[in-house]
């Protein structure tokens, strides 16, 4: 009973924080296209991968539109660009649409917490379940993505669910559990293209699912015999593994067929290497995404610009964006935790290592830490099960203190979770010198800037903003800051613009090197939401 009450409290606080963040934060750069597009898809059946879906699978679009079914949209749902139309016609209704669209993802994130609670409880007991849920619901990274109408939290939840369903099937292999695994796989694939990594991950898991007992045969006398035994076991397992993976994949394709409106959206390619070739829209999205990844894109990390990324980006970002209490608990779990249940260990090792390897060494455009968001709940599961399974009496009390500290850190960060950084590089205040884009600035703080300016009497400001919303929507009196020439007065600039990753005057033209160095060498007088820098430049300094 105590576990249920504590879990309900954690989920309730998590949902409340997600709701408040959804209300407080402006739309991020990608959200407007998600909002209302699902209504258009339902009404028209137009699932064109380029013009309607912008190369992403449709599940997140549908989720963002479910809460809008009860909103009077004046038939705008029959057209594309729903949010822009509503914003121009009725700003107050646009506010309602923005918040309601996000609430579906807050609810989905809560379900992800329930899945994690169930998995950890089944694997290592109720204490593990409670620790895992606490880590998840108090994580700034989860709280940053849960209130956004986007595919990142969607694929993370279904990535977790697919692995959990596989683990339950492995414990008791039945046809029904295998179908549930395939259904979860289909929902993950319909969420984001990165879920395709689940196919090789499940293949490896199926291939090795009955392999370990063979490898521990007592009559093996030499290393060469052991290697031969392992290879032979893998070969014997191949037909069964292929059959199981095929069954899951066909089930998943059925889910994709439903999510695409009872079709596979077969069209001729409009972009990329498959231009002019008739293929299902999902495959076109994959080929275009692969082509864009191969081309690269200008990125910024630790003060350096690059078009090919950095292999250490995601491990480094995990260290930078994870609160110290969680890092401490991870270290204690690895050093002093109890042994993991064998199948949990196998699932975590394969799922985390394979995904991280591809993200680090194959992905050329790591636009943000959100790209490895599906791994965050798995790390929470690892910490919780190892701490709960330890025979060291002092570890659980220390974990409780760590969770209290984590709650305090999260409370201080609220609602600026997207721009949260621990103090390694100066915390959220200093992070703008080292990162940009969705790691800190995704356009979410235009409303935060408006509230800051309102406290100062709403003075006019020279603004260079990275984001989809018009400043007029928030009552900001401004003129656009364009070009690289120094100027004076009150200046507000998004971190992503300041670090030259976005040109507000022409998004297709790169800003020249050193464009805003004249600003960055100064200290900002304010940082609304930590993603917008405010400077006061006197005439005499020019």
């Amino acid at each position: 009973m105590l576990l249920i009450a504590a879990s309900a409290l954690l989920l309730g606080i998590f949902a409340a924080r997600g709701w408040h963040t959804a209300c407080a934060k402006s739309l991020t750069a990608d959200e407007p296209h998600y909002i209302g597009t699902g209504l258009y898809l339902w009404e028209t059946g137009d699932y064109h991968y380029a013009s309607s879906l912008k190369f992403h699978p449709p599940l997140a679009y549908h989720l963002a539109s479910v809460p809008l079914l009860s909103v009077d949209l004046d038939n705008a749902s029959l057209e594309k660009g729903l949010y822009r139309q509503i914003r121009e016609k009725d700003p107050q209704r646009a506010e309602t649409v923005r918040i309601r669209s996000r609430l579906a993802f807050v609810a989905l994130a809560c379900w992800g917490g329930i899945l994690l609670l169930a998995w950890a409880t089944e694997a290592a007991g109720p204490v593990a379940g409670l620790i895992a849920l606490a880590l998840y619901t108090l994580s700034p990274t989860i709280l940053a993505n849960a209130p956004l109408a986007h595919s990142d939290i969607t694929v993370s939840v279904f990535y977790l669910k697919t692995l959990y369903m596989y683990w339950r099937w492995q414990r008791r292999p039945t046809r029904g559990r295998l179908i549930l695994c395939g259904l979860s796989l289909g929902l993950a694939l319909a969420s984001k293209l990165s879920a395709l990594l689940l196919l090789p991950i499940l293949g490896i898991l199926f291939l090795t699912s009955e392999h370990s007992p063979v490898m521990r045969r007592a009559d093996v006398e030499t290393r060469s015999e052991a290697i031969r035994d392992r290879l032979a076991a893998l070969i014997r397992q191949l037909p069964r593994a292929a059959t199981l993976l095929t069954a899951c994949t066909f089930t998943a394709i059925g889910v994709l067929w439903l999510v695409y409106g009872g079709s596979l959206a077969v069209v001729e390619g409009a972009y990329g290497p498959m231009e002019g070739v008739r293929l299902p829209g999902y495959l076109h999205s994959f080929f275009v995404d692969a082509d864009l990844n191969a081309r690269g894109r200008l990125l910024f990390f630790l003060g350096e610009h690059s078009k090919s990324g950095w292999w250490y980006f995601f491990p480094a970002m995990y260290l930078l964006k994870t609160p110290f209490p969680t890092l401490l608990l991870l270290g204690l779990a690895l050093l002093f935790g109890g042994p993991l249940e064998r199948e949990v260990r196998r699932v975590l090792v394969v799922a985390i290592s394979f995904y991280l390897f591809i993200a680090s060494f194959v992905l050329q455009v790591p636009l943000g830490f959100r790209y490895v968001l599906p791994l965050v709940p798995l790390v929470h599961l690892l910490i919780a099960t190892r701490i709960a399974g330890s025979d060291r009496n002092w570890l659980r009390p220390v974990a409780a203190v760590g969770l209290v500290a984590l709650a305090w850190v999260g409370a201080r960060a609220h609602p600026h979770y997207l721009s949260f950084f621990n103090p390694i590089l100066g915390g959220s205040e200093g992070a703008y010198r080292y990162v940009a884009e969705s790691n800190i600035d995704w356009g979410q703080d235009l409303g935060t800037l408006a509230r800051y300016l309102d406290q100062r009497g709403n003075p006019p400001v020279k603004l260079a903003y990275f984001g989809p919303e018009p400043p007029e929507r928030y009552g900001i009196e401004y003129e656009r800051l364009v070009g690289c020439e120094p100027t004076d007065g009150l200046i507000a600039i998004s971190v992503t613009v300041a670090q030259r990753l976005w040109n507000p005057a022409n998004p297709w033209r790169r800003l020249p090197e050193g464009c805003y160095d004249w600003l960055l060498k100064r200290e900002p007088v304010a940082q609304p939401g930590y993603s917008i820098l405010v400077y006061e430049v006197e005439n005499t300094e020019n």
Side-chain angles (χ1 to χ4, degrees):
M1 194 64 170
L2 182 62
L3 173 66
I4 296 175
S7 300
L9 178 63
L10 286 170
L11 285 169
I13 294 174
F14 176 77
R17 293 166 82 174
W19 173 81
H20 183 258
T21 304
C23 295
K25 291 295 182 178
S26 310
L27 286 178
T28 57
D30 292 356
E31 285 184 278
H33 187 69
Y34 283 84
I35 294 177
T37 300
L39 298 178
Y40 171 82
L41 297 175
W42 289 329
E43 292 283 354
T44 65
D46 173 18
Y47 286 85
H48 194 283
Y49 75 101
S51 61
S52 300
L53 297 175
K54 298 299 181 185
F55 312 113
H56 298 294
L59 182 57
Y61 296 93
H62 286 309
L63 289 176
S65 295
V66 169
L68 304 183
L69 295 174
S70 61
V71 179
D72 182 9
L73 301 175
D74 293 333
N75 295 322
S77 60
L78 295 177
E79 306 173 34
K80 299 178 184 179
L82 169 67
Y83 183 78
R84 178 182 55 80
Q85 297 171 53
I86 296 174
R87 185 185 66 204
E88 293 173 354
K89 295 177 181 177
D90 188 344
Q92 188 60 43
R93 186 175 299 173
E95 180 84 359
T96 300
V97 168
R98 173 176 63 85
I99 295 172
R100 288 203 184 185
S101 294
R102 288 172 159 181
L103 293 185
F105 297 87
V106 175
L108 182 65
C110 288
W111 186 44
I114 294 171
L115 290 171
L116 186 61
L117 169 68
W119 192 353
T121 301
E122 289 182 50
V127 172
L130 194 59
I131 294 174
L133 181 62
L135 289 168
Y136 178 91
T137 56
L138 298 174
S139 165
T141 300
I142 299 296
L143 284 161
N145 289 275
L148 302 182
H150 201 267
S151 58
D152 292 314
I153 194 66
T154 312
V155 72
S156 299
V157 170
F158 289 117
Y159 187 88
L160 175 69
K161 180 174 171 55
T162 302
L163 295 174
Y164 176 40
M165 292 298 101
Y166 166 82
W167 178 78
R168 297 190 81 242
W169 171 86
Q170 176 62 33
R171 296 182 81 192
R172 185 161 62 89
T174 66
R175 183 177 300 175
R177 291 189 173 190
L178 186 64
I179 291 174
L180 287 175
C181 183
L183 292 174
S184 301
L185 173 63
L187 292 171
L189 293 175
S191 301
K192 194 171 184 177
L193 290 171
S194 58
L196 285 167
L197 293 178
L198 281 168
L199 294 175
I201 287 172
L202 287 174
I204 295 171
L205 291 173
F206 283 131
L207 185 62
T208 59
S209 62
E210 295 182 359
H211 185 40
S212 295
V214 176
M215 291 192 293
R216 294 196 296 268
R217 278 181 45 180
D219 59 345
V220 174
E221 297 179 356
T222 66
R223 180 178 296 272
S224 61
E225 287 183 19
I227 293 174
R228 284 197 301 269
D229 253 29
R230 295 180 185 187
L231 290 175
L234 285 174
I235 293 171
R236 289 195 298 271
Q237 185 72 0
L238 268 174
R240 181 173 183 268
T243 300
L244 293 169
L245 182 60
T246 300
C248 275
T249 303
F250 272 99
T251 305
I253 291 174
V255 174
L256 280 177
W257 181 80
L258 288 173
V259 175
Y260 272 88
S263 74
L264 293 178
V266 177
V267 294
E268 289 188 359
Y271 303 94
M274 295 298 164
E275 183 176 351
V277 179
R278 288 186 62 81
L279 288 173
Y282 192 89
L283 292 181
H284 277 306
S285 297
F286 169 76
F287 286 120
V288 170
D289 197 59
D291 183 56
L292 292 174
N293 178 66
R295 294 183 187 183
R297 176 175 165 178
L298 188 65
L299 307 168
F300 177 75
F301 184 51
L302 298 182
E304 177 186 352
H305 288 85
S306 171
K307 286 196 68 175
S308 58
W310 305 264
W311 69 265
Y312 52 84
F313 176 82
F314 290 115
M317 285 300 297
Y318 182 81
L319 291 177
L320 294 174
K321 289 191 74 70
T322 302
F324 279 160
T326 303
L327 293 176
L328 174 64
L329 292 179
L330 175 59
L332 292 175
L334 294 175
L335 292 173
F336 305 109
L340 288 172
E341 189 258 352
R342 184 170 65 89
E343 289 304 322
V344 171
R345 181 178 67 248
R346 193 168 60 87
V347 170
L348 291 181
V349 167
V350 173
I352 293 176
S353 60
F354 188 88
Y355 193 110
L356 188 58
F357 175 83
I358 297 298
S360 299
F361 294 100
V362 177
L363 182 64
Q364 298 294 313
V365 190
L367 296 180
F369 183 60
R370 60 191 175 89
Y371 278 32
V372 293
L373 186 64
L375 302 186
V376 174
L378 299 183
V379 176
H380 296 157
L381 178 65
L382 169 66
I383 296 171
T385 51
R386 282 187 65 89
I387 288 178
S390 175
D391 58 1
R392 299 174 187 264
N393 296 329
W394 55 268
L395 190 53
R396 290 189 183 186
V398 170
V401 173
L403 292 175
V404 172
L406 178 61
W408 178 76
V409 170
R412 290 191 63 192
H414 182 82
H416 310 306
Y417 301 114
L418 193 63
S419 52
F420 172 83
F421 281 80
N422 63 41
I424 292 178
L425 292 179
S428 300
E429 296 88 348
Y432 73 92
R433 301 185 184 276
Y434 309 101
V435 296
E437 292 194 303
S438 60
N439 298 299
I440 184 172
D441 168 33
W442 212 5
Q444 76 273 13
D445 279 312
L446 191 62
T448 312
L449 173 65
R451 290 187 287 272
Y452 164 78
L453 293 174
D454 187 61
Q455 292 173 358
R456 296 188 51 168
N458 199 24
V461 63
K462 295 177 180 178
L463 178 63
Y465 167 62
F466 168 67
E469 299 217 56
E472 299 88 349
R473 159 81 178 77
Y474 291 89
I476 297 175
E477 185 181 343
Y478 75 102
E479 64 175 277
R480 295 191 182 277
L481 178 67
V482 295
C484 300
E485 292 299 317
T487 184
D488 58 12
L490 188 64
I491 299 171
I493 184 169
S494 294
V495 170
T496 300
V497 177
Q499 298 299 354
R500 300 191 295 110
L501 298 186
W502 178 260
N503 186 341
N506 184 355
W508 307 110
R509 184 176 181 181
R510 185 181 304 176
L511 290 168
E513 186 174 351
C515 181
Y516 292 110
D517 285 356
W518 60 276
L519 268 181
L520 292 173
K521 69 181 182 181
R522 297 174 166 85
E523 289 296 322
V525 298
Q527 295 176 248
Y530 306 108
S531 73
I532 298 178
L533 309 175
V534 178
Y535 297 90
E536 289 182 345
V537 181
E538 299 291 340
N539 293 341
T540 56
E541 295 183 5
N542 292 326

